Amino acid sequence: MGMKRFFVLSIAMAMALVAATPLPAMAACANGKCWGAVGVGPNGAWGNAYDYPSQNAAAQAVQNRCGGNCTTIKTFFNSCGAIAQGDYGGWGWAWNVNKDEALSSAIAYCVPNDRNCRVTVWACTSR
């Protein structure tokens, strides 16, 4: 009886997870059209989004995750994007098909503008 209940709960949890996944985004990415975005704002606000069917949809998802507080939003297509920030508000952003390259480039673009630059937010699309 306990095993049957676990199995039923597992199926219900899996169905809930599938229902929570944005199907239009998944379908768009299945066709090779994957947009992502990263954003930052004051007081540590940040958001990321990946596998959206359009640039606007990805940017809006970031703004929603930022609670409407992102003042800088950058989008990317079929790749990875990252924003790095320093101690005094300087920042840098980059995109690349390679995640590690996107992260290190964001830091490299931040360094001339600030000190102690570190990646604040990143995301990669499925493609």
Side-chain angles (χ1 to χ4, degrees):
M1 194 72 137
M3 183 62 108
K4 183 177 180 182
R5 184 173 177 192
F6 173 76
F7 180 71
V8 170
L9 284 175
S10 296
I11 290 174
M13 289 175 19
M15 289 173 65
L17 180 62
V18 168
T21 303
L23 292 178
M26 288 173 52
C29 282
N31 294 322
K33 300 175 183 172
C34 299
W35 281 93
V38 290
V40 294
N43 302 317
W46 64 272
N48 65 0
Y50 55 91
D51 295 345
Y52 278 81
S54 72
Q55 183 177 18
N56 288 340
Q60 186 59 52
V62 166
Q63 194 60 270
N64 292 343
R65 291 186 180 132
C66 272
N69 295 323
C70 278
T71 53
T72 299
I73 297 176
K74 299 295 184 179
T75 59
F76 50 92
F77 185 79
N78 288 352
S79 58
C80 299
I83 295 177
Q85 292 179 295
D87 289 344
Y88 301 107
W91 60 278
W93 115 270
W95 67 271
N96 196 299
V97 294
N98 179 288
K99 176 189 146 197
D100 292 334
E101 290 292 324
L103 273 59
S104 64
S105 293
I107 291 169
Y109 285 121
C110 176
V111 168
N113 303 313
D114 211 328
R115 64 180 202 152
N116 295 324
C117 292
R118 61 208 161 278
V119 172
T120 305
V121 59
W122 65 273
C124 293
T125 62
S126 296
R127 296 204 182 242

